[in-house]
PDB file of all heavy atoms in Angstrom:
ATOM      1  N   ALA A   7      -3.114  10.989   1.406  1.00 46.00           N
ATOM      2  CA  ALA A   7      -3.846  11.855   2.329  1.00 46.00           C
ATOM      3  C   ALA A   7      -5.157  11.173   2.686  1.00 46.00           C
ATOM      4  O   ALA A   7      -5.729  10.456   1.889  1.00 46.00           O
ATOM      5  CB  ALA A   7      -4.108  13.202   1.670  1.00 46.00           C
ATOM      6  N   SER A   8      -5.630  11.398   3.890  1.00 83.00           N
ATOM      7  CA  SER A   8      -6.784  10.644   4.360  1.00 83.00           C
ATOM      8  C   SER A   8      -8.037  10.919   3.528  1.00 83.00           C
ATOM      9  O   SER A   8      -8.856  10.039   3.320  1.00 83.00           O
ATOM     10  CB  SER A   8      -7.053  10.936   5.829  1.00 83.00           C
ATOM     11  OG  SER A   8      -7.382  12.299   5.960  1.00 83.00           O
ATOM     12  N   PHE A   9      -8.149  12.133   2.979  1.00 91.00           N
ATOM     13  CA  PHE A   9      -9.308  12.428   2.135  1.00 91.00           C
ATOM     14  C   PHE A   9      -9.310  11.538   0.890  1.00 91.00           C
ATOM     15  O   PHE A   9     -10.327  10.978   0.495  1.00 91.00           O
ATOM     16  CB  PHE A   9      -9.321  13.908   1.741  1.00 91.00           C
ATOM     17  CG  PHE A   9     -10.481  14.277   0.866  1.00 91.00           C
ATOM     18  CD1 PHE A   9     -11.764  14.386   1.392  1.00 91.00           C
ATOM     19  CD2 PHE A   9     -10.295  14.496  -0.497  1.00 91.00           C
ATOM     20  CE1 PHE A   9     -12.851  14.708   0.569  1.00 91.00           C
ATOM     21  CE2 PHE A   9     -11.376  14.813  -1.319  1.00 91.00           C
ATOM     22  CZ  PHE A   9     -12.655  14.921  -0.785  1.00 91.00           C
ATOM     23  N   SER A  10      -8.115  11.388   0.271  1.00 94.00           N
ATOM     24  CA  SER A  10      -7.979  10.545  -0.915  1.00 94.00           C
ATOM     25  C   SER A  10      -8.274   9.087  -0.575  1.00 94.00           C
ATOM     26  O   SER A  10      -8.937   8.386  -1.327  1.00 94.00           O
ATOM     27  CB  SER A  10      -6.556  10.647  -1.470  1.00 94.00           C
ATOM     28  OG  SER A  10      -6.270  11.980  -1.831  1.00 94.00           O
ATOM     29  N   GLN A  11      -7.766   8.664   0.571  1.00 92.00           N
ATOM     30  CA  GLN A  11      -7.950   7.283   1.006  1.00 92.00           C
ATOM     31  C   GLN A  11      -9.441   7.001   1.227  1.00 92.00           C
ATOM     32  O   GLN A  11      -9.956   5.962   0.819  1.00 92.00           O
ATOM     33  CB  GLN A  11      -7.187   7.059   2.306  1.00 92.00           C
ATOM     34  CG  GLN A  11      -6.844   5.617   2.535  1.00 92.00           C
ATOM     35  CD  GLN A  11      -5.696   5.485   3.524  1.00 92.00           C
ATOM     36  OE1 GLN A  11      -5.329   6.440   4.209  1.00 92.00           O
ATOM     37  NE2 GLN A  11      -5.141   4.302   3.620  1.00 92.00           N
ATOM     38  N   GLU A  12     -10.099   7.966   1.838  1.00 94.00           N
ATOM     39  CA  GLU A  12     -11.532   7.836   2.105  1.00 94.00           C
ATOM     40  C   GLU A  12     -12.309   7.754   0.788  1.00 94.00           C
ATOM     41  O   GLU A  12     -13.214   6.945   0.639  1.00 94.00           O
ATOM     42  CB  GLU A  12     -11.995   9.034   2.955  1.00 94.00           C
ATOM     43  CG  GLU A  12     -13.325   8.852   3.623  1.00 94.00           C
ATOM     44  CD  GLU A  12     -13.465   7.499   4.325  1.00 94.00           C
ATOM     45  OE1 GLU A  12     -12.543   7.099   5.091  1.00 94.00           O
ATOM     46  OE2 GLU A  12     -14.489   6.841   4.093  1.00 94.00           O
ATOM     47  N   PHE A  13     -11.886   8.555  -0.172  1.00 96.00           N
ATOM     48  CA  PHE A  13     -12.535   8.555  -1.491  1.00 96.00           C
ATOM     49  C   PHE A  13     -12.409   7.176  -2.150  1.00 96.00           C
ATOM     50  O   PHE A  13     -13.384   6.608  -2.641  1.00 96.00           O
ATOM     51  CB  PHE A  13     -11.906   9.632  -2.392  1.00 96.00           C
ATOM     52  CG  PHE A  13     -12.337   9.550  -3.820  1.00 96.00           C
ATOM     53  CD1 PHE A  13     -13.553  10.090  -4.213  1.00 96.00           C
ATOM     54  CD2 PHE A  13     -11.549   8.896  -4.765  1.00 96.00           C
ATOM     55  CE1 PHE A  13     -13.973   9.986  -5.537  1.00 96.00           C
ATOM     56  CE2 PHE A  13     -11.966   8.788  -6.081  1.00 96.00           C
ATOM     57  CZ  PHE A  13     -13.180   9.331  -6.468  1.00 96.00           C
ATOM     58  N   VAL A  14     -11.191   6.631  -2.152  1.00 96.00           N
ATOM     59  CA  VAL A  14     -10.964   5.329  -2.800  1.00 96.00           C
ATOM     60  C   VAL A  14     -11.719   4.230  -2.053  1.00 96.00           C
ATOM     61  O   VAL A  14     -12.331   3.348  -2.670  1.00 96.00           O
ATOM     62  CB  VAL A  14      -9.451   5.010  -2.891  1.00 96.00           C
ATOM     63  CG1 VAL A  14      -9.232   3.624  -3.482  1.00 96.00           C
ATOM     64  CG2 VAL A  14      -8.736   6.047  -3.743  1.00 96.00           C
ATOM     65  N   CYS A  15     -11.705   4.287  -0.739  1.00 95.00           N
ATOM     66  CA  CYS A  15     -12.418   3.306   0.083  1.00 95.00           C
ATOM     67  C   CYS A  15     -13.917   3.322  -0.260  1.00 95.00           C
ATOM     68  O   CYS A  15     -14.549   2.278  -0.420  1.00 95.00           O
ATOM     69  CB  CYS A  15     -12.189   3.635   1.552  1.00 95.00           C
ATOM     70  SG  CYS A  15     -12.986   2.481   2.664  1.00 95.00           S
ATOM     71  N   GLU A  16     -14.442   4.522  -0.398  1.00 96.00           N
ATOM     72  CA  GLU A  16     -15.851   4.710  -0.789  1.00 96.00           C
ATOM     73  C   GLU A  16     -16.132   4.008  -2.125  1.00 96.00           C
ATOM     74  O   GLU A  16     -17.114   3.294  -2.275  1.00 96.00           O
ATOM     75  CB  GLU A  16     -16.081   6.233  -0.913  1.00 96.00           C
ATOM     76  CG  GLU A  16     -17.491   6.698  -0.774  1.00 96.00           C
ATOM     77  CD  GLU A  16     -18.197   6.117   0.440  1.00 96.00           C
ATOM     78  OE1 GLU A  16     -17.672   6.207   1.581  1.00 96.00           O
ATOM     79  OE2 GLU A  16     -19.288   5.560   0.211  1.00 96.00           O
ATOM     80  N   LYS A  17     -15.214   4.185  -3.075  1.00 97.00           N
ATOM     81  CA  LYS A  17     -15.365   3.587  -4.409  1.00 97.00           C
ATOM     82  C   LYS A  17     -15.285   2.059  -4.348  1.00 97.00           C
ATOM     83  O   LYS A  17     -16.024   1.359  -5.037  1.00 97.00           O
ATOM     84  CB  LYS A  17     -14.293   4.129  -5.366  1.00 97.00           C
ATOM     85  CG  LYS A  17     -14.515   5.551  -5.787  1.00 97.00           C
ATOM     86  CD  LYS A  17     -15.682   5.611  -6.771  1.00 97.00           C
ATOM     87  CE  LYS A  17     -16.135   7.051  -6.987  1.00 97.00           C
ATOM     88  NZ  LYS A  17     -17.423   7.115  -7.700  1.00 97.00           N
ATOM     89  N   PHE A  18     -14.361   1.544  -3.539  1.00 97.00           N
ATOM     90  CA  PHE A  18     -14.241   0.090  -3.380  1.00 97.00           C
ATOM     91  C   PHE A  18     -15.549  -0.464  -2.801  1.00 97.00           C
ATOM     92  O   PHE A  18     -16.048  -1.497  -3.225  1.00 97.00           O
ATOM     93  CB  PHE A  18     -13.059  -0.275  -2.467  1.00 97.00           C
ATOM     94  CG  PHE A  18     -11.741  -0.457  -3.194  1.00 97.00           C
ATOM     95  CD1 PHE A  18     -11.299   0.458  -4.135  1.00 97.00           C
ATOM     96  CD2 PHE A  18     -10.927  -1.563  -2.910  1.00 97.00           C
ATOM     97  CE1 PHE A  18     -10.076   0.281  -4.796  1.00 97.00           C
ATOM     98  CE2 PHE A  18      -9.709  -1.750  -3.562  1.00 97.00           C
ATOM     99  CZ  PHE A  18      -9.278  -0.825  -4.501  1.00 97.00           C
ATOM    100  N   GLY A  19     -16.108   0.239  -1.808  1.00 96.00           N
ATOM    101  CA  GLY A  19     -17.378  -0.165  -1.201  1.00 96.00           C
ATOM    102  C   GLY A  19     -18.495  -0.224  -2.233  1.00 96.00           C
ATOM    103  O   GLY A  19     -19.249  -1.196  -2.313  1.00 96.00           O
ATOM    104  N   GLU A  20     -18.566   0.833  -3.067  1.00 97.00           N
ATOM    105  CA  GLU A  20     -19.570   0.875  -4.142  1.00 97.00           C
ATOM    106  C   GLU A  20     -19.424  -0.326  -5.065  1.00 97.00           C
ATOM    107  O   GLU A  20     -20.399  -0.940  -5.467  1.00 97.00           O
ATOM    108  CB  GLU A  20     -19.369   2.137  -4.995  1.00 97.00           C
ATOM    109  CG  GLU A  20     -20.169   3.346  -4.571  1.00 97.00           C
ATOM    110  CD  GLU A  20     -19.756   4.578  -5.379  1.00 97.00           C
ATOM    111  OE1 GLU A  20     -19.489   4.448  -6.599  1.00 97.00           O
ATOM    112  OE2 GLU A  20     -19.669   5.662  -4.761  1.00 97.00           O
ATOM    113  N   PHE A  21     -18.176  -0.626  -5.387  1.00 97.00           N
ATOM    114  CA  PHE A  21     -17.913  -1.758  -6.284  1.00 97.00           C
ATOM    115  C   PHE A  21     -18.516  -3.044  -5.707  1.00 97.00           C
ATOM    116  O   PHE A  21     -19.207  -3.788  -6.404  1.00 97.00           O
ATOM    117  CB  PHE A  21     -16.396  -1.935  -6.488  1.00 97.00           C
ATOM    118  CG  PHE A  21     -16.023  -3.161  -7.293  1.00 97.00           C
ATOM    119  CD1 PHE A  21     -15.971  -3.102  -8.687  1.00 97.00           C
ATOM    120  CD2 PHE A  21     -15.740  -4.375  -6.667  1.00 97.00           C
ATOM    121  CE1 PHE A  21     -15.650  -4.235  -9.426  1.00 97.00           C
ATOM    122  CE2 PHE A  21     -15.413  -5.512  -7.406  1.00 97.00           C
ATOM    123  CZ  PHE A  21     -15.364  -5.435  -8.793  1.00 97.00           C
ATOM    124  N   TYR A  22     -18.263  -3.296  -4.427  1.00 97.00           N
ATOM    125  CA  TYR A  22     -18.743  -4.542  -3.829  1.00 97.00           C
ATOM    126  C   TYR A  22     -20.243  -4.542  -3.576  1.00 97.00           C
ATOM    127  O   TYR A  22     -20.842  -5.581  -3.403  1.00 97.00           O
ATOM    128  CB  TYR A  22     -17.960  -4.849  -2.543  1.00 97.00           C
ATOM    129  CG  TYR A  22     -16.543  -5.300  -2.846  1.00 97.00           C
ATOM    130  CD1 TYR A  22     -15.438  -4.560  -2.423  1.00 97.00           C
ATOM    131  CD2 TYR A  22     -16.314  -6.452  -3.588  1.00 97.00           C
ATOM    132  CE1 TYR A  22     -14.140  -4.957  -2.727  1.00 97.00           C
ATOM    133  CE2 TYR A  22     -15.029  -6.860  -3.906  1.00 97.00           C
ATOM    134  CZ  TYR A  22     -13.946  -6.105  -3.466  1.00 97.00           C
ATOM    135  OH  TYR A  22     -12.672  -6.514  -3.781  1.00 97.00           O
ATOM    136  N   ARG A  23     -20.865  -3.336  -3.563  1.00 96.00           N
ATOM    137  CA  ARG A  23     -22.319  -3.281  -3.358  1.00 96.00           C
ATOM    138  C   ARG A  23     -23.094  -3.334  -4.678  1.00 96.00           C
ATOM    139  O   ARG A  23     -24.301  -3.414  -4.688  1.00 96.00           O
ATOM    140  CB  ARG A  23     -22.691  -2.011  -2.579  1.00 96.00           C
ATOM    141  CG  ARG A  23     -22.347  -2.088  -1.093  1.00 96.00           C
ATOM    142  CD  ARG A  23     -22.943  -0.923  -0.320  1.00 96.00           C
ATOM    143  NE  ARG A  23     -22.384   0.361  -0.735  1.00 96.00           N
ATOM    144  CZ  ARG A  23     -21.283   0.911  -0.199  1.00 96.00           C
ATOM    145  NH1 ARG A  23     -20.643   0.299   0.776  1.00 96.00           N
ATOM    146  NH2 ARG A  23     -20.821   2.070  -0.632  1.00 96.00           N
ATOM    147  N   THR A  24     -22.369  -3.278  -5.808  1.00 95.00           N
ATOM    148  CA  THR A  24     -23.034  -3.289  -7.118  1.00 95.00           C
ATOM    149  C   THR A  24     -23.192  -4.728  -7.621  1.00 95.00           C
ATOM    150  O   THR A  24     -22.195  -5.401  -7.908  1.00 95.00           O
ATOM    151  CB  THR A  24     -22.221  -2.475  -8.154  1.00 95.00           C
ATOM    152  OG1 THR A  24     -21.988  -1.175  -7.616  1.00 95.00           O
ATOM    153  CG2 THR A  24     -22.946  -2.370  -9.480  1.00 95.00           C
ATOM    154  N   PRO A  25     -24.433  -5.216  -7.731  1.00 93.00           N
ATOM    155  CA  PRO A  25     -24.654  -6.631  -8.064  1.00 93.00           C
ATOM    156  C   PRO A  25     -24.094  -7.038  -9.423  1.00 93.00           C
ATOM    157  O   PRO A  25     -23.736  -8.204  -9.606  1.00 93.00           O
ATOM    158  CB  PRO A  25     -26.183  -6.768  -8.058  1.00 93.00           C
ATOM    159  CG  PRO A  25     -26.678  -5.591  -7.279  1.00 93.00           C
ATOM    160  CD  PRO A  25     -25.688  -4.495  -7.483  1.00 93.00           C
ATOM    161  N   SER A  26     -24.002  -6.069 -10.372  1.00 94.00           N
ATOM    162  CA  SER A  26     -23.505  -6.461 -11.699  1.00 94.00           C
ATOM    163  C   SER A  26     -21.996  -6.738 -11.704  1.00 94.00           C
ATOM    164  O   SER A  26     -21.468  -7.296 -12.667  1.00 94.00           O
ATOM    165  CB  SER A  26     -23.836  -5.369 -12.717  1.00 94.00           C
ATOM    166  OG  SER A  26     -23.252  -4.144 -12.303  1.00 94.00           O
ATOM    167  N   ASN A  27     -21.281  -6.359 -10.642  1.00 95.00           N
ATOM    168  CA  ASN A  27     -19.866  -6.729 -10.535  1.00 95.00           C
ATOM    169  C   ASN A  27     -19.763  -8.164 -10.012  1.00 95.00           C
ATOM    170  O   ASN A  27     -19.749  -8.407  -8.818  1.00 95.00           O
ATOM    171  CB  ASN A  27     -19.128  -5.773  -9.597  1.00 95.00           C
ATOM    172  CG  ASN A  27     -19.004  -4.386 -10.190  1.00 95.00           C
ATOM    173  OD1 ASN A  27     -18.881  -4.236 -11.406  1.00 95.00           O
ATOM    174  ND2 ASN A  27     -19.058  -3.376  -9.349  1.00 95.00           N
ATOM    175  N   VAL A  28     -19.706  -9.097 -10.927  1.00 92.00           N
ATOM    176  CA  VAL A  28     -19.763 -10.519 -10.581  1.00 92.00           C
ATOM    177  C   VAL A  28     -18.456 -10.970  -9.921  1.00 92.00           C
ATOM    178  O   VAL A  28     -17.371 -10.664 -10.418  1.00 92.00           O
ATOM    179  CB  VAL A  28     -20.035 -11.367 -11.843  1.00 92.00           C
ATOM    180  CG1 VAL A  28     -20.049 -12.851 -11.504  1.00 92.00           C
ATOM    181  CG2 VAL A  28     -21.353 -10.942 -12.481  1.00 92.00           C
ATOM    182  N   ILE A  29     -18.573 -11.640  -8.786  1.00 96.00           N
ATOM    183  CA  ILE A  29     -17.394 -12.250  -8.158  1.00 96.00           C
ATOM    184  C   ILE A  29     -17.596 -13.762  -8.157  1.00 96.00           C
ATOM    185  O   ILE A  29     -18.396 -14.288  -7.393  1.00 96.00           O
ATOM    186  CB  ILE A  29     -17.189 -11.723  -6.729  1.00 96.00           C
ATOM    187  CG1 ILE A  29     -17.011 -10.195  -6.787  1.00 96.00           C
ATOM    188  CG2 ILE A  29     -15.975 -12.372  -6.068  1.00 96.00           C
ATOM    189  CD1 ILE A  29     -17.010  -9.542  -5.435  1.00 96.00           C
ATOM    190  N   PRO A  30     -16.870 -14.462  -9.046  1.00 96.00           N
ATOM    191  CA  PRO A  30     -17.090 -15.903  -9.158  1.00 96.00           C
ATOM    192  C   PRO A  30     -16.615 -16.638  -7.898  1.00 96.00           C
ATOM    193  O   PRO A  30     -15.608 -16.256  -7.300  1.00 96.00           O
ATOM    194  CB  PRO A  30     -16.235 -16.309 -10.363  1.00 96.00           C
ATOM    195  CG  PRO A  30     -15.766 -15.039 -10.999  1.00 96.00           C
ATOM    196  CD  PRO A  30     -15.803 -13.988  -9.937  1.00 96.00           C
ATOM    197  N   ALA A  31     -17.330 -17.682  -7.518  1.00 96.00           N
ATOM    198  CA  ALA A  31     -16.933 -18.485  -6.355  1.00 96.00           C
ATOM    199  C   ALA A  31     -15.829 -19.450  -6.763  1.00 96.00           C
ATOM    200  O   ALA A  31     -15.900 -20.055  -7.823  1.00 96.00           O
ATOM    201  CB  ALA A  31     -18.126 -19.258  -5.835  1.00 96.00           C
ATOM    202  N   PRO A  32     -14.784 -19.600  -5.927  1.00 96.00           N
ATOM    203  CA  PRO A  32     -13.783 -20.617  -6.242  1.00 96.00           C
ATOM    204  C   PRO A  32     -14.387 -22.017  -6.056  1.00 96.00           C
ATOM    205  O   PRO A  32     -15.374 -22.161  -5.336  1.00 96.00           O
ATOM    206  CB  PRO A  32     -12.689 -20.362  -5.205  1.00 96.00           C
ATOM    207  CG  PRO A  32     -13.359 -19.637  -4.090  1.00 96.00           C
ATOM    208  CD  PRO A  32     -14.503 -18.876  -4.692  1.00 96.00           C
TER     209      PRO A  32
END
Side-chain angles (χ1 to χ4, degrees):
S8 63
F9 180 74
S10 300
Q11 203 160 13
E12 196 47 48
F13 170 81
V14 176
C15 181
E16 203 49 52
K17 287 287 168 192
F18 271 47
E20 268 173 38
F21 174 87
Y22 287 117
R23 285 190 296 271
T24 307
S26 58
N27 291 327
V28 178
I29 301 171

